[in-house]
Amino acid sequence: MRISHAAPGLAVLLVAGVLAVGPIPQAAAASTPTLVVAANQSFRPVTHVATGSLYGLATATVPADSLVEPLHPNTFVQMAAGGKQQATGDILKVAGEAAKAGAKVVDRLSDYYAGWPYQYNASNWSSVVSTQISEIKASGITNLTSYELWNEPDNTWLTSNGTFNAFWTKTFNQVRSLAPGVPIQGPSYSDNISGMQSFLQNAVATNTVPDIISWHELESSGKIAGDVATVQGLESSLGISPRPIAIEEYAAPSQVGIPGDLVGYIAQFERLGINNAELAFWNQSGALGDLLTGQGGSPNGAYWLYDWYGSMTGNMVTTTPSGSLDGAASVPSAQNQVNVVFGGGSGSTAVTVNGLNALAGFSGSSQVTATLQYTPSPGRTVAVSAPTTVSQTTYTVANGSVTVPVSSMNAAYGYHLVITPAGSGGGGGSTGVLRGAASNRCLDVPGLATANGTLLDIWDCDGGSNQQWAYQSNGELQVYGNKCLDVPNNATSAGTRVEIWDCNGGANQQWTLNSDGTVVGRGSGLCLDATGGGTANGTAVEIWTCNGKSNQKWSRQ
């Protein structure tokens, strides 16, 4: 992708991508909806609470790791081993893929049965549970986080089966005896939590209070706070110590795949301290909760919102919404960046970031660089190759505060704002060399060239500007501040030489830096590679099938 296009009607804050210096920021007009970020008020570590999904994984390879891992998913809820509820999503078949992305898995026991309501059989349920737990133990999986005993009893439990509370008590005791160290979660009601009081009263009386209290939010992010307050009030009144909360399914059918509709859920889950939350399964398994166009498909507009959210590190910081405009923000441990995802507003809006003067990484910085991006909303089944960078603008800080205007905001779009000290690279990443493990030489732009299409190689590390790569929050690797490590023409073929090109936010310019030293192209799924294992100055650099060899390992220094 070579050209970045602004959305129709979205006012661009600079011309042709040239860095512009803005005026001293003033407070947004009283009539302008403004999301306020308190960058100096952290309230919990980054957990990516909202990045998981129900049936988000279909098989051990679908979706591809290159699509899953950049989101840093928290938790996937999947079908019991050997289950019949869905054709794919068996927990034992997908747990490994989840683990590679650092994610946990929940075993939904009731999904062993087909049908809706479930084709429950009281005569074999105890055997189903014992067999399931035996298989999980034998598998050796290490990322199981809990057993969910039943799903949506307000919709799927038939009175002919007896009372749900009696079923819960019996099943809880069986699971606890067979897997004493594994948390149990429930009751997994749908939006209707009216039965929660009687459920918890029975759980207290029978000593079967779930370790994690769960339910679903499938209507609106606006009702989450009220539901959380209701449940926490019940805990208090019944003498239950506060439990972690899991929102196992969230978002309405009309909201999935729409970034502007999903931002409010992310913001609320963070603000309310939810333990984990999973995008609902409405259409197809293996689509990361409809962040992909279909099972194992391509990213849609909402995917990039979660990609930004997944890039957050450090601590979450306080955000205050303004009407429908809401968002979440983080500050990394180095305190040299404020990373904000937001949306839901329309027309002229703004984001005000306060407390910059209290962050160590901004110490002495009188100016900051604000990088603004958006991801469009063409629909759940429409691919979006990458977000669009709207502007990269320098602002003067006043009393530790800066206000960034966003003109002609589209309520269905997702937005991303990254604030860094001026001159640090704009997108927030630290700058350094990429040193090859096999060659001990650095990724290099030959001859200090700046022309688009210049092919890259390795060369003796000399600290020159042509070897200084800044890793940005959107996955770009920038050199000279405005050129990006690029795979020509969105190629996905092994052996394609890499080059530099004007940064445009394309997937062919986005990379994942893995803990094993590999640098994986998000568009190609292939690894940055010194051709043929070469170690000499001038050896070409390309993309190649990831193979774990040392010529594909790079250290950032």
Side-chain angles (χ1 to χ4, degrees):
M1 181 176 178
R2 301 297 194 191
I3 300 173
S4 178
H5 298 285
L10 185 64
V12 179
L13 303 183
L14 74 165
V15 178
V18 179
L19 187 65
V21 178
I24 295 176
Q26 304 297 322
S31 60
T32 302
T34 303
L35 177 70
V36 178
V37 178
N40 59 333
Q41 295 180 14
S42 60
F43 60 89
R44 71 166 177 171
V46 168
T47 65
H48 309 119
V49 51
T51 47
S53 48
L54 170 64
Y55 286 110
L57 305 178
T59 70
T61 57
V62 178
D65 291 347
S66 60
L67 292 172
V68 179
E69 292 178 10
L71 305 187
H72 295 282
N74 183 298
T75 308
F76 291 100
V77 177
Q78 299 286 154
M79 177 174 64
K84 303 172 182 65
Q85 178 61 210
Q86 299 294 327
T88 60
D90 183 309
I91 190 168
L92 293 186
K93 295 179 180 178
V94 303
E97 184 179 19
K100 284 187 286 185
K104 303 178 288 292
V105 289
V106 173
D107 189 336
R108 180 176 277 183
L109 295 178
S110 57
D111 281 3
Y112 176 82
Y113 292 120
W116 191 264
Y118 295 109
Q119 296 170 7
Y120 172 69
N121 183 343
S123 66
N124 78 345
W125 175 245
S126 179
S127 175
V128 167
V129 172
S130 60
T131 300
Q132 181 68 197
I133 292 175
S134 294
E135 290 183 357
I136 290 290
K137 288 181 176 179
S139 73
I141 69 171
T142 59
N143 57 332
L144 177 72
T145 188
S146 65
Y147 285 109
E148 178 193 340
L149 306 190
W150 197 263
N151 174 46
E152 294 193 355
D154 49 318
N155 291 326
T156 65
W157 184 259
L158 303 179
T159 56
S160 59
N161 296 326
T163 69
F164 175 72
N165 285 346
F167 164 86
W168 171 269
T169 301
K170 180 179 180 180
T171 305
F172 182 101
N173 287 328
Q174 181 184 6
V175 173
R176 180 64 87 225
S177 67
L178 296 174
V182 181
I184 295 172
Q185 88 182 36
S188 309
Y189 286 128
S190 68
D191 270 292
N192 176 20
I193 61 170
S194 60
M196 190 70 79
Q197 181 169 355
S198 64
F199 168 80
L200 290 177
Q201 286 173 334
N202 174 76
V204 169
T206 59
N207 195 29
T208 59
V209 177
D211 302 294
I212 301 167
I213 295 180
S214 60
W215 70 91
H216 306 163
E217 293 287 349
L218 303 172
E219 296 178 13
S220 165
S221 61
K223 68 185 287 291
I224 300 171
D227 286 347
V228 169
T230 295
V231 172
Q232 291 178 335
L234 289 172
E235 286 180 317
S236 177
S237 68
L238 295 170
I240 301 171
S241 59
R243 297 299 203 259
I245 291 173
I247 306 298
E248 291 175 341
E249 302 178 34
Y250 74 89
S254 62
Q255 295 175 323
V256 292
I258 311 300
D261 288 341
L262 296 172
V263 170
Y265 288 96
I266 294 173
Q268 289 282 45
F269 295 146
E270 291 290 356
R271 196 173 287 133
L272 295 168
I274 302 303
N275 183 69
N276 60 280
E278 289 77 48
L279 283 157
F281 164 60
W282 289 116
N283 297 286
Q284 200 167 20
S285 64
L288 299 177
D290 287 321
L291 299 182
L292 305 178
T293 55
Q295 187 176 93
S298 300
N300 58 30
Y303 177 91
W304 302 109
L305 170 70
Y306 285 78
D307 183 64
W308 295 327
Y309 177 49
S311 74
M312 290 182 173
T313 62
N315 291 308
M316 301 304 297
V317 296
T318 300
T319 57
T320 303
S322 178
S324 60
L325 175 64
D326 205 353
S330 69
V331 171
S333 58
Q335 297 189 338
N336 60 351
Q337 177 196 100
V338 182
N339 190 347
V340 189
V341 293
F342 62 106
S346 60
S348 294
T349 68
V351 177
T352 293
V353 179
N354 297 322
L356 291 170
N357 53 348
L359 302 182
F362 287 82
S363 177
S365 297
S366 60
Q367 292 187 321
V368 297
T369 298
T371 303
L372 178 66
Q373 296 176 297
Y374 77 89
T375 181
S377 182
R380 173 179 62 83
T381 61
V382 179
V384 174
S385 61
T388 295
T389 298
V390 178
S391 60
Q392 190 177 88
T393 308
T394 299
Y395 290 92
T396 300
V397 179
N399 299 318
S401 178
V402 63
T403 294
V404 178
V406 184
S407 301
S408 301
M409 191 173 180
N410 188 315
Y413 289 11
Y415 293 82
H416 186 214
L417 177 66
V418 177
I419 303 291
T420 56
S424 68
S430 60
T431 300
V433 300
L434 281 171
R435 186 188 294 269
S439 65
N440 200 34
R441 293 187 165 88
C442 285
L443 181 65
D444 178 277
V445 184
L448 294 166
T450 59
N452 282 341
T454 300
L455 297 174
L456 306 185
D457 58 19
I458 55 172
W459 201 267
D460 292 335
C461 300
D462 56 22
S465 60
N466 59 323
Q467 294 182 355
Q468 298 294 318
W469 299 91
Y471 188 55
Q472 307 300 308
S473 62
N474 67 348
E476 291 176 342
L477 278 163
Q478 289 185 1
V479 67
Y480 308 136
N482 62 354
K483 301 289 183 182
C484 277
L485 178 63
D486 178 283
V487 180
N489 302 313
N490 295 291
T492 58
S493 300
T496 301
R497 291 280 303 272
V498 294
E499 59 182 18
I500 56 170
W501 200 274
D502 293 334
C503 298
N504 56 42
N508 60 318
Q509 294 186 349
Q510 295 183 347
W511 305 83
T512 298
L513 276 59
N514 294 314
S515 58
D516 65 357
T518 56
V519 179
V520 180
R522 296 184 184 177
S524 67
L526 303 180
C527 280
L528 195 67
D529 178 291
T531 301
T535 59
N537 280 340
T539 298
V541 178
E542 61 187 15
I543 54 172
W544 195 265
T545 303
C546 299
N547 54 34
K549 294 181 179 179
S550 60
N551 63 312
Q552 294 185 351
K553 303 293 181 69
W554 307 83
S555 60
R556 300 198 69 230
Q557 301 173 356

